[in-house]
């Protein structure tokens, strides 16, 4: 069962540093099945989330494209209380877990929509993390163009994709993706 948001805030105040943030956000997924929680934890371990968070503005609006279970969106909203976050993803299943993780918070929202179908809205930052490999290469440029068009003047695009280096991390990430896509059917 998921913990009330006031308990999540208490965890952040009691613990410090990177793992306090991880613990607080993992508590948001307490009501999710173990496979989903494991996926979120592995995602945290394989992606330099805190380094990416450091690139975001302290306030304003963030759009995360391809947010999946909402991990990065939740991390951003928990670590930056004055940042309003919208996570979008076309996968209904993952959106269900992302929406469940909101737990009454108003600074984060999840929509099951593609960026091209998003109404006219503008953002101070747009994040795209490990999404491009899931779509055909000829769709990369249009996606990036639509993403840039969503930015306010002076806004930031935070783009992260899997790298081949270090090799061990690439192989673990690849294994996790094969498991998520082909075996567990978590990612479409």
């Amino acid at each position: 069962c998921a913990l009330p948001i006031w308990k999540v805030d208490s965890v952040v105040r009691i613990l410090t540093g990177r793992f306090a943030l991880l613990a607080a956000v993992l508590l948001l997924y307490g009501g999710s099945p173990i496979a989903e929680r494991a996926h979120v934890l592995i995602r945290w371990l394989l992606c330099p989330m805190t380094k990416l968070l450091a690139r975001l503005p302290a306030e304003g609006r963030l759009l995360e494209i391809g947010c999946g279970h909402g991990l990065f969106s939740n991390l951003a909203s928990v670590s930056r209380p004055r940042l309003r976050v919208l996570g979008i993803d076309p996968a209904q299943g993952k959106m269900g877990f992302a929406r469940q993780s909101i737990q009454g918070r108003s600074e984060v929202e999840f929509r099951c929509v593609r960026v091209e179908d998003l109404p006219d809205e503008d953002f101070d930052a747009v994040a795209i993390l490990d999404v491009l490999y899931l779509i055909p290469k000829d769709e990369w440029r249009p996606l990036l163009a639509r993403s840039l068009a969503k930015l306010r003047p002076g806004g930031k695009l935070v783009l992260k994709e899997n790298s081949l280096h270090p090799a061990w991390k690439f192989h673990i990430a690849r294994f996790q993706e094969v498991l998520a896509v082909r075996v567990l059917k978590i990612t479409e």
Side-chain angles (χ1 to χ4, degrees), residues 124-144:
D124 299 290
V126 173
I128 306 172
L129 312 181
D130 299 326
V131 170
L132 295 180
Y133 79 96
L134 293 170
I135 63 175
K137 229 176 188 176
D138 63 333
E139 293 180 27
W140 291 9
R141 188 178 295 260
L143 172 66
L144 293 172

Side-chain angles (χ1 to χ4, degrees), residues 5 7 9 17 27 29 44 62 87 89-90 100-101 134-135 147 157 167 175:
I5 191 63
K7 289 187 179 179
D9 291 339
L27 288 174
Y29 295 91
W44 166 270
L62 166 67
D89 198 294
Q100 183 180 3
S101 73
L134 293 170
I135 63 175
S147 303
L157 175 65
F175 171 75

Side-chain angles (χ1 to χ4, degrees), residues 48-123:
M49 297 284 178
T50 53
K51 289 181 181 177
L52 296 168
L53 286 171
R55 300 185 182 280
L56 296 179
E59 58 188 348
R61 295 189 71 212
L62 166 67
L63 170 64
E64 183 187 5
I65 298 171
C67 69
H69 292 77
L71 176 60
F72 188 71
S73 292
N74 279 318
L75 287 165
S77 72
V78 168
S79 67
R80 290 179 167 56
R82 295 185 321 217
L83 188 65
R84 309 249 335 138
V85 181
L86 172 60
I88 64 170
D89 198 294
Q92 284 281 357
K94 290 189 279 184
M95 282 288 89
F97 295 111
R99 287 182 181 131
Q100 183 180 3
S101 73
I102 293 174
Q103 298 186 20
R105 294 175 295 141
S106 61
E107 70 279 359
V108 64
E109 176 187 359
F110 295 106
R111 295 185 204 163
C112 190
V113 66
R114 295 180 181 277
V115 68
E116 58 266 26
D117 300 323
L118 195 63
D120 287 337
E121 298 180 59
D122 56 351
F123 298 87

